[in-house]
Amino acid sequence: MGNRFQVQDRFKEGAQYVGGRLRPGTSGRNHAIVDPATGEQVLDYELAGTADVDAAVAAAREAFPGWAGATPGERSDALHRFASVLAEQAEDFAQAESLQCGKPIKLTREFDVPGTVDNTAFFAGAARHLQGQSAGEYSGDHTSYVRREPIGVVGSIAPWNYPLQMAAWKVLPAVAAGNTIVLKPAEITPLTSLMFAAAATEAGLPDGVVNIVTGAGREAGEHLVGHPDVAMTSFTGSTPVGKRVAEVATATVKRLHLELGGKAPFLVFDDADLEAAVHGAVAGALINSGQDCTAATRAYVQRPLYDAFVAGVADVMATVRLGDPFDPSTDLGPLVSHTQRDRVAGFVDRARSYATVVTGGKAPGGDLENGAYYLPTLISGAAQDSEVVQSEIFGPVLVVLPFDSDDEGIALANDTPYGLAASAWSRDVYRAGRATREIKAGCVWVNDHIPIISEMPHGGYKASGFGKDMSAYSFEEYTQVKHVMYDNTAVVRKDWHRTIFGDRP
């Protein structure tokens, strides 16, 4: 295995992007980016400290009046150019994403990068349709209308599982609505977020509109969320960290958007297409090595199909090819780090005392032993209240449980704190329709699991957070709604004044 993307020269000026240019951090602490497929270091850089966050927020604050004052057409044109630059640099983005995350190159080329280009093009169009309610005389004596105005400087934090796509999900609706942004990516996977910001500058977005600070959560992240000049925080990550973000943001009464953990149910009714469900479960569970908050993690299968489903999933998992992420034939890459691999292994090893590991359940050896790889794993026989059913594992692990009645299946699907995504598998439109209504999740797929599109919102219920990424619905997060009311009568003394002084005129 060898690095295909040359990192050192690309980021020799540092891993912070402030005011339209790369610069080094000032924390005095360095961090090494490691290729999870080989364990080799690919870049050592200085982390952001609080001074870097202050500088990035100041740059965003300075850029805000000009960017907010641009016409929707001007912002749209800039974002269209941005999409073109991203498309031109698609292979570089795919290589960098595979290098830092361990994603198979076919995933980054066919999912992460084109999805980001499409999302950018979508928000280029959406920037022209940022509208409020049309004018009307709702009181009879006044004309009212609603304005949508940008909030100000947005301070966002993105996770390590989809660094490029998460950068886009945070940046694009914010800037399309006229805000400026400071984004903190995960310190282990900052490369494509930095490249994304540089591409924005190349496309002509003004300096300071998009800024990146790469630092630790406890220092850079908390300082960004609590910064008095940051008007809004958007966070994607685990539920425990999301709770901490909410605590810090609440102290300064910020707008808050949280997209948190998930434990997606995969509900298979007894009239489902068994082969389709088996293939969908393997794909939905293993995408991005299972490091996806919408990944299929809990398969509930109605008892007549249960045994065949377990056998079918085990058979398909056995065909999945682990290997070099840069080999186009590789199906499954490593987890993002050895720490994450060991965390996943811990869940599986503890489950052996109360459940059956049907297939997988270990790290491969041989040529892959130095990487953070873990075999596709299927677990059966776990109780509903067990750790592997209730907790987010974030690895290539699927747990399968049987159910009898439709009522029981839907109740089990809802029986976790999370509510981000789910799927229902049935040939019966009424049965599937009931599942879409009664499963408490922000997205419910029918006879598929995972696909997302720019035009539709993404966000959760319950402990999975609140607010939406993508789609025009995301503008609800990134705009202030203002009611403007004009008097139409030109009457000096209004009838309602008598409630305060004097009598009816």
Side-chain angles (χ1 to χ4, degrees), residues 276-301:
V278 165
H279 285 84
V282 174
L286 300 185
I287 186 171
N288 202 35
S289 297
Q291 299 166 130
D292 186 314
C293 49
T294 64
T297 59
R298 300 178 289 138
Y300 296 102
V301 183

Side-chain angles (χ1 to χ4, degrees), residues 201-221:
T201 300
E202 186 175 337
L205 273 73
D207 293 350
V209 171
V210 180
N211 307 274
I212 308 291
V213 289
T214 308
R218 286 290 184 184
E219 182 176 7

Side-chain angles (χ1 to χ4, degrees), residues 460-481:
Y461 285 28
K462 304 190 294 186
S464 292
F466 48 82
K468 300 299 179 184
D469 288 310
M470 298 200 301
S471 83
Y473 290 97
S474 65
F475 286 139
E476 303 294 330
E477 318 305 322
Y478 295 98
T479 56
Q480 297 276 23
V481 174

Side-chain angles (χ1 to χ4, degrees), residues 134 147 155-156 314 374 376 383 442 453 465-466:
S134 60
R147 292 175 54 88
S156 292
Y374 199 77
I453 50 175
F466 48 82

